[in-house]
Amino acid sequence: DAKTTQPNSMESNEEEPVHLPCNHSTISGTDYIHWYRQLPSQGPEYVIHGLTSNVNNRMASLAIAEDRKSSTLILHRATLRDAAVYYCILRVNAGNNRKLIWGLGTSLAVNP
Amino acid sequence: DGGITQSPKYLFRKEGQNVTLSCEQNLNHDAMYWYRQDPGQGLRLIYYSQIVNDFQKGDIAEGYSVSREKKESFPLTVTSAQKNPTAFYLCASRVAHNTGELFFGEGSRLTVL
């Protein structure tokens, strides 16, 4: 299975941008890149996803490298509520199914 | 408010006992999922259900059982056959299998003594 690699932890200051990297060098052409985040003592929540083009939504932006072997989740202005574990996930085809391959996540600390 | 409710939040059981974790959703979603989360590992899929009265094994189904008698409910039973049951269990749902984002509950932490 294709997999993702993320730094264990990162730190940011409040109101500054945060760039969370993810490597997925074995990604195949039909695999989507998804990001979820998990706040303390909660279940994960969806952040964003993309295939080839960069994507923006109200929560974040996703920048995907041209060769698709890496991507970066961008939080434009970090707040204290953004402190969470951020998971980079590949959605791969598995027969008639699509399977999510979860990474280990990056624990983001936001300093006031 | 629409969402997913898991109960109990914390559960302690003795070795050899079966336990059932509840998952209820009022999002009108067809697909429901059970994941297991362990320290140092990504989420792993236990079972999923695409529609009422149907469910499929995920990657780590051994020692677990599920039922889907109602659209809203997808309970997970951790049986005594599960060799390492202590974990954080997450239930999720989405509009349809392979479609849309996953919505997760807050999780149930099971500790087997």
Side-chain angles (χ1 to χ4, degrees), chain B residues 50-98:
Chain B
Q50 298 186 49
I51 202 160
V52 175
N53 293 323
D54 176 73
F55 49 83
Q56 309 291 334
K57 290 182 180 179
D59 298 319
I60 55 163
E62 187 175 344
Y64 298 98
S65 66
V66 293
S67 62
R68 187 87 187 275
E69 295 174 7
K70 296 187 300 182
K71 187 174 186 177
E72 304 79 30
S73 179
F74 191 42
L76 173 75
T77 297
V78 185
T79 76
S80 55
Q82 168 49 234
K83 290 183 174 43
N84 189 14
T86 294
F88 189 53
Y89 291 89
L90 287 159
C91 179
S93 72
R94 60 183 172 190
V95 169
H97 188 51
N98 291 335

Side-chain angles (χ1 to χ4, degrees), chain A residues 24-90:
Chain A
H24 28 77
S25 57
T26 57
I27 194 171
S28 71
T30 55
D31 294 345
Y32 278 76
I33 302 153
H34 287 237
W35 284 81
Y36 280 73
R37 71 179 186 180
Q38 187 172 19
L39 279 64
S41 301
Q42 293 190 28
E45 65 173 342
Y46 169 81
V47 178
I48 202 166
H49 76 281
L51 181 61
T52 54
S53 305
N54 294 344
V55 185
N56 300 299
N57 67 19
R58 62 174 181 80
M59 285 182 75
S61 296
L62 177 60
I64 301 173
E66 204 168 321
D67 64 4
R68 302 209 324 124
K69 292 182 190 271
S70 65
S71 60
T72 303
L73 179 71
I74 303 164
L75 307 180
H76 295 286
R77 285 182 69 199
T79 70
L80 296 178
R81 287 179 296 178
D82 291 323
V85 178
Y86 286 79
Y87 293 98
C88 175
I89 300 153
L90 294 184

